[in-house]
C-alpha cells in the first residue's frame, strides 16, 4: 500500500514498449491486411496523412483498397521536405484530425511518406487525446532504415531542427521496399548515409557488405537480394542500438555518430543539404578528427572515404568551418549534460566516446579533410556536386 512519507508520495510506474516492424509487399492489394492491423477491420475509419508524391502516384489504389474494406477515410496529402516539418502544418493537421473524430482505441492514424511525414504523424499521435495508435509506412530510404523505426518524432521549431519532440511508439511500422522504386538517386544516397553511419560505428560486416554490394543496392533501388540484405541488416542494427535506450536517457549514444557537427551544416546550407548529406559530411570530418586524435588508423580513414566516394556520398563542403563546427559541438554538449560525449570510431565497426576535443583539433581536422578533398581532385570546386 502506497502512502505519504514525510508529506511526500512517490509515483512510480514502468511503461512497456512493444511494437512490430513488419516487412510486407504490395500493401494496397486487397488480399493484404497488414495495414489494418491494430484496428477494426470493417466499417471503421482511418485518418491518413500521406506524402503528396506518393499520393499522386498511388491514390487510386489506396482509395479502392479502403473502399473495398468498407473503411471510411480522411486522406490528407502533404508535401515532404524539411521546410514542411513545421508547427503550422502540425497544427493544421491536428485540426483536421480533431474534425474527423476517429475512435482513438480502434482506428489508428496512418502516416505514409518519408521522415518528414512519419515524424509529424508520430507527434500528432502522441498529442491527440494523450496518445492514439499510429502506423508508420516509410517511403524513403531515410524513413525505412531510420526515422520510421524509431519512437522519436517531432517537428522543427523556428530555425531549430527537431525542437518540438516527443517519444511515441508506433503500433506498427510497415516496410514495403517497393516504394523505393520511385525514389530519386539523391534521396537513395541520402538514406545510405544512415547505413554507413551504422556500419562505421558498429558493424564491420555491414561495412564490408556495403563495399561489395552498396553500389548495386543503390542501382537496384534496393529491390534485389543484396539490397534487401543491406536494409535488413541496418534495421536490425538500428533496433539493437535503440531498444536499450529508446528514450535516449543514456547520453553516450553510438547513433549520435554523424550528428555532432551535422546540425549546423544543415542550417548553414539553407536547405541545400539533405539530412543524410549533412550526416555524411559529419562522418567524413569525424573520421579525420579521430585519425588526428590517434584513435583511427590511416588505412581505416582511407577505406571509409573510398567507400563514401564509391557510394557517391559527399565528404567535403565549403561550409565546413571550424568556428561553426565548434559551436555545434558546444550546442550538443548542452543536450549531453555538459559533456562532449562524441562517438568516434577506433576501427571500422567500433567506437569510443571522447570528451576532450579542443578547438585546435577541429581546426586541424577541417584542414586535413580539405587537403584530402583537394588531393583527390577537389580542385577549385567549392563543393562536391550533390545528387550526382
Ligand atoms: N524520427 C527520427 O528519429 C528520425 C531519424 C532520421 C531522420 N528523421 C527526419 O526525417 C526527415 C528526413 O527524411 P526523408 O529524407 O525521408 O525526407 P522527406 O520526408 O522530406 O522525403 C524526401 C523527399 O522524397 C519525396 N518522396 C517520399 N517518398 C518518395 C518515393 N517513394 N518516391 C519519390 N519521392 C518520394 C518526398 O516528397 C520528399 O520530397 C528529417 O526531417 C529528419 O529529421 C527523423
Amino acid at each position: 500500500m502506497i502512502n505519504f512519507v514525510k508529506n511526500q508520495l512517490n509515483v512510480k510506474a514502468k511503461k512497456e514498449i512493444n511494437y512490430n516492424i513488419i516487412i510486407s509487399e504490395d500493401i494496397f492489394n486487397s488480399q493484404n491486411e497488414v495495414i489494418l492491423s491494430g484496428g477494426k477491420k470493417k466499417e471503421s475509419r482511418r485518418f491518413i496523412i500521406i506524402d503528396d508524391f506518393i499520393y499522386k502516384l498511388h491514390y487510386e489504389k489506396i482509395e479502392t483498397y479502403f473502399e473495398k474494406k468498407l473503411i471510411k477515410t480522411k486522406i490528407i496529402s502533404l508535401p515532404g521536405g524539411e521546410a514542411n516539418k513545421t508547427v503550422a502544418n502540425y497544427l493544421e493537421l491536428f485540426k483536421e484530425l480533431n474534425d474527423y473524430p476517429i475512435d482513438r482505441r480502434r482506428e489508428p492514424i496512418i502516416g505514409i511518406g518519408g521522415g518528414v511525414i512519419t515524424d509529424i504523424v508520430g507527434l500528432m499521435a502522441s498529442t491527440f487525446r494523450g496518445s492514439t495508435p499510429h502506423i508508420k509506412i516509410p517511403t524513403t530510404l531515410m524513413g525505412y532504415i531510420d526515422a520510421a523505426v524509431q519512437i522519436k518524432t517531432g517537428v522543427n521549431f523556428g530555425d531549430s531542427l527537431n525542437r518540438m519532440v516527443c517519444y511515441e511508439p508506433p503500433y506498427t511500422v510497415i516496410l514495403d521496399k517497393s516504394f523505393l522504386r520511385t525514389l530519386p538517386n539523391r534521396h537513395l544516397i541520402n538514406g545510405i548515409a544512415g547505413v554507413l553511419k551504422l556500419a562505421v560505428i558498429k558493424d564491420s560486416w555491414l561495412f564490408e557488405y556495403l563495399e561489395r554490394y552498396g553500389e548495386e543496392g543503390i542501382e537496384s533501388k534496393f529491390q534485389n537480394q543484396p539490397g534487401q540484405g543491406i536494409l535488413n541488416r541496418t534495421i536490425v542494427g538500428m533496433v539493437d542500438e535503440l531498444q536499450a535506450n529508446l528514450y535516449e536517457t543514456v547520453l553516450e549514444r553510438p547513433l549520435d555518430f554523424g550528428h555532432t557537427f551535422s546540425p549546423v551544416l544543415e542550417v548553414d546550407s539553407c536547405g541545400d543539404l539533405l539530412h543524410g548529406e549533412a550526416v555524411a559530411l559529419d562522418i567524413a570530418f569525424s573520421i579525420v578528427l579521430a585519425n588526428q586524435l590517434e584513435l583511427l588508423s590511416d588505412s581505416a580513414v582511407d577505406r571509409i572515404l573510398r567507400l563514401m566516394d564509391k557510394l557517391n556520398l559527399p565528404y567535403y563542403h565549403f561550409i565546413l568551418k571550424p568556428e561553426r563546427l565548434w559551436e555545434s559541438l558546444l550546442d550538443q554538449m548542452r543536450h549531453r549534460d555538459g559533456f562532449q560525449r562524441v562517438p568516434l570510431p577506433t576501427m571500422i565497426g567500433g567506437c569510443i566516446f571522447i570528451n576532450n576535443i579542443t578547438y585546435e583539433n577541429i581546426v586541424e581536422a577541417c584542414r586535413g579533410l580539405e587537403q584530402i578533398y583537394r588531393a583527390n581532385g577537389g580542385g577549385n570546386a567549392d563543393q562536391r556536386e550533390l545528387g550526382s
Side-chain angles (χ1 to χ4, degrees), residues 51-54 57-58 78-82 85 113-119 136 138-143 146-148 150-154 156 161-162 178-184 187 190-191 238 248 259 266 274-276:
D51 183 286
D52 72 348
F53 181 90
I54 299 296
L57 214 61
H58 300 289
L78 185 77
E82 205 57 52
K85 211 170 102 175
V116 164
I117 302 297
T118 55
D119 273 7
K136 297 197 270 194
T139 62
T140 61
L141 185 57
M142 174 67 74
D146 195 342
Q150 305 230 15
I151 69 165
K152 190 174 181 177
T153 68
N156 303 328
L161 299 172
N162 299 316
S178 68
F179 284 113
L180 303 181
R181 283 192 198 128
T182 54
L183 200 62
H187 284 282
N190 180 53
M238 283 290 291
E248 302 184 356
H259 288 76
E266 258 185 285
L274 298 173
H275 177 71

Side-chain angles (χ1 to χ4, degrees), residues 71-103:
I71 289 176
K72 293 198 182 82
T73 53
K74 170 100 182 175
I75 302 181
I76 300 183
S77 70
L78 185 77
E82 205 57 52
N84 293 302
K85 211 170 102 175
T86 59
V87 178
N89 277 339
Y90 156 69
L91 288 175
E92 200 158 308
L93 292 165
F94 196 92
K95 183 180 175 316
E96 297 278 358
L97 176 59
N98 196 41
D99 292 344
Y100 189 73
I102 51 168
D103 174 343

